[in-house]
Amino acid sequence: MSGTSPARVAVGANPFSRWAVLALVVIGSALFVALLWMIGTGTGFGSTNDGQAHAEGRGLNGYAAMAAYLEKRGHPVVRARNAGLLDKEGLLVLTPPAGADGKDIEKIVSKRRYIGPTLVISPKWLAYPTTSEQKGAKSGWVNVEGTNALQWRGFLDDVTLVQGDVDANGQPAHWQGFGLGGTLPSRKFLQSAKGDNLVPLVAEQDGRILAAFIDDGGSYPALEDAALGSMQSDPEDEDRYPLVVVFEPDLLDNWGMADRRSAQLIDALVAASEVAPGGTITFDLTMNGFGRAQNLLTLAFTPPFLAATLCLVLAALVLGWRAFLRFGPPLAAERAIAFGKGALVANAAGLVRRSRRLHLIGGPYADHARERLVHALALPRTLPPEEADAAIDRALASRKADAEPFSAIAARLRRARRPHDLVKAARDLHALERMLTR
């Protein structure tokens, strides 16, 4: 029977190349960090474009166009999904749903009265997602089919919201304010308000209030100049920021933003609300169901803790790079102390050399050489060193008359200080010892 023999693989060979392992580690680490970031920030877990009236809504009733327009005008726009961001300076835009708790709205507004201006936009439309039969419909688009009853008990209870027809003859509603004028997109319903503390900013041609600021004793020169009515009370608190309420959302929503005059109205509202050019504008998403609580992962990707996270990532990269450079089968580690006399001598010599005490070994080496020669020549062990040296010199002279005496080499070895002199004297003494012991 014939056949091919299987290929042999050397023991300890790597099944993967170095670059393949590097690619696996880098891609895996990047995906892991991305997963942590998505969990911490809430990114990628459900779309906020759900057809409702908020800054991420792209339907007729949403305010995505308003947020995008303000960004184009140079304002940093924050879409807040954490309640802690609602206390920042700049304009806060609240778009609470019809079912929101008025006490929660009042709590947010009251907390900001000395931080920055607040713009509240009332909801109006009952919105339903588009169906598959509607050709060309995109994600987040809606159909509006009536108004939504609004009862925010605990917030502006002295203000009455009025939902009625636009005009008995079915004519479009015309609005005016800030020296501007325009037409609302819907001919069916109009939402306005009544209240003693309302100072109109935008009104329908028949006088119904579509947007106003609250006369609460603050001093708001820019709004007063643009107001269609006068304030009832004298300013008492110049440090208080204004509260502006837009009762007719079609003035600012995506449907209304199809008219460029709505964009001009947004610019006028923002400027009159004491927002500086380039000032921050925050759109709240927490009241629309997109709030999230702070957690360790959220803090890890939020300044100033982001710096510590980046340091940890860099440390991990350094460790990974060191591991990558060492990649391969491990080598057998050598013993710290090898076996045998040679290793023992080498270790002792290394210790002496590192201690820089070579000049101290000349005398002991000469003494040990004398003891060995006394034993080899069968001399009495009780001989004094001088007599032992003289006896060794006589034995050497009998063997080789012109040889350098033992006592002279031993004295030279004791006097040596430099490594070269020590080694030469030790070699001469070793040669003499071999001559006498052969």
Side-chain angles (χ1 to χ4, degrees):
M1 179 181 294
S2 62
T4 59
S5 59
R8 296 182 178 181
V9 179
V11 177
N14 296 322
F16 301 101
S17 68
R18 173 181 294 192
W19 296 108
V21 172
L22 178 63
L24 289 174
V25 172
V26 170
I27 294 174
S29 300
L31 291 176
F32 179 68
V33 173
L35 176 62
L36 293 180
W37 177 76
M38 292 174 65
I39 294 175
T41 59
T43 303
F45 295 91
S47 174
T48 53
N49 182 22
D50 58 355
Q52 300 304 312
H54 50 74
E56 292 288 345
R58 300 185 180 277
L60 292 175
N61 59 335
Y63 300 97
M66 178 182 176
Y69 173 75
L70 289 172
E71 284 182 321
K72 294 291 186 181
R73 298 292 288 173
H75 292 279
V77 173
V78 178
R79 296 164 178 83
R81 301 180 64 177
N82 186 283
L85 297 177
L86 305 183
D87 300 335
K88 304 297 182 182
E89 295 182 355
L91 176 65
L92 173 64
V93 181
L94 295 177
T95 56
D101 189 344
K103 295 180 180 179
D104 293 339
I105 304 174
E106 178 63 29
K107 183 179 179 180
I108 295 174
V109 172
S110 299
K111 194 174 181 180
R112 286 189 50 83
R113 295 317 299 270
Y114 295 95
I115 298 176
T118 305
L119 173 64
V120 179
I121 306 177
S122 302
K124 180 175 78 169
W125 295 109
L126 281 172
Y128 301 95
T130 56
T131 63
S132 57
E133 299 176 356
Q134 295 178 274
K135 296 182 179 180
K138 297 182 180 180
S139 175
W141 285 16
V142 296
N143 297 314
V144 291
E145 300 181 4
T147 59
N148 208 345
L150 179 64
Q151 290 185 349
W152 288 342
R153 298 187 182 278
F155 176 66
L156 298 182
D157 291 333
D158 55 343
V159 175
T160 302
L161 193 68
V162 180
Q163 293 177 336
D165 295 333
V166 172
D167 187 89
N169 299 321
Q171 297 298 317
H174 295 278
W175 60 266
Q176 58 182 0
F178 294 96
L180 304 170
T183 303
L184 292 177
S186 173
R187 294 171 178 263
K188 293 183 179 181
F189 304 103
L190 182 70
Q191 189 164 273
S192 60
K194 297 179 180 179
D196 294 335
N197 293 331
L198 295 181
V199 181
L201 294 173
V202 181
E204 211 268 343
Q205 58 185 354
D206 60 7
R208 284 178 285 183
I209 299 176
L210 305 182
F213 72 91
I214 308 301
D215 182 5
D216 54 4
S219 177
Y220 318 120
L223 289 174
E224 293 173 20
D225 292 342
L228 301 177
S230 60
M231 298 179 63
Q232 301 297 324
S233 60
D234 295 329
E236 298 177 356
D237 191 347
E238 296 183 354
D239 295 331
R240 183 177 296 182
Y241 284 91
L243 169 61
V244 179
V245 184
V246 177
F247 302 103
E248 175 50 72
D250 288 345
L251 290 170
L252 306 179
D253 60 17
N254 297 335
W255 199 0
M257 284 291 289
D259 189 340
R260 64 180 180 85
R261 289 171 292 188
S262 291
Q264 295 173 341
L265 176 61
I266 290 175
D267 287 334
L269 268 174
V270 170
S273 298
E274 304 181 13
V275 179
T280 302
I281 299 178
T282 302
F283 284 83
D284 171 55
L285 295 177
T286 62
M287 303 197 73
N288 301 97
F290 298 106
R292 65 170 184 269
Q294 288 278 16
N295 53 59
L296 292 179
L297 283 177
T298 303
L299 293 175
F301 293 97
T302 304
F305 304 102
L306 179 60
T309 302
L310 294 177
C311 290
L312 290 175
V313 171
L314 290 176
L317 291 176
V318 172
L319 291 176
W321 179 249
R322 287 178 61 85
F324 172 70
L325 294 179
R326 188 211 172 277
F327 182 80
L331 300 176
E334 296 182 354
R335 288 180 56 86
I337 301 178
F339 294 109
K341 296 180 180 179
L344 182 60
V345 172
N347 291 335
L351 178 61
V352 173
R353 185 172 60 252
R354 288 177 63 86
S355 65
R356 298 183 180 181
R357 295 295 186 269
L358 292 175
H359 62 280
L360 298 179
I361 65 174
Y365 186 85
D367 294 339
H368 283 288
R370 181 196 302 117
E371 293 177 1
R372 290 193 298 270
L373 289 173
V374 166
H375 177 73
L377 297 175
L379 298 175
R381 293 179 177 273
T382 59
L383 284 177
E386 295 79 4
E387 295 181 7
D389 291 348
I392 295 172
D393 290 344
R394 288 192 297 270
L396 179 62
S398 64
R399 300 282 185 93
K400 189 176 181 181
D402 59 347
E404 184 178 7
F406 170 81
S407 58
I409 298 176
R412 182 156 50 90
L413 182 59
R414 289 187 174 90
R415 291 193 306 268
R417 292 294 180 269
R418 294 183 301 176
H420 175 73
D421 298 336
L422 279 169
V423 172
K424 186 177 184 307
R427 285 178 176 175
D428 293 342
L429 189 58
H430 181 66
L432 182 150
E433 187 176 353
R434 290 186 62 186
M435 182 187 303
L436 293 175
T437 57
R438 277 189 294 184

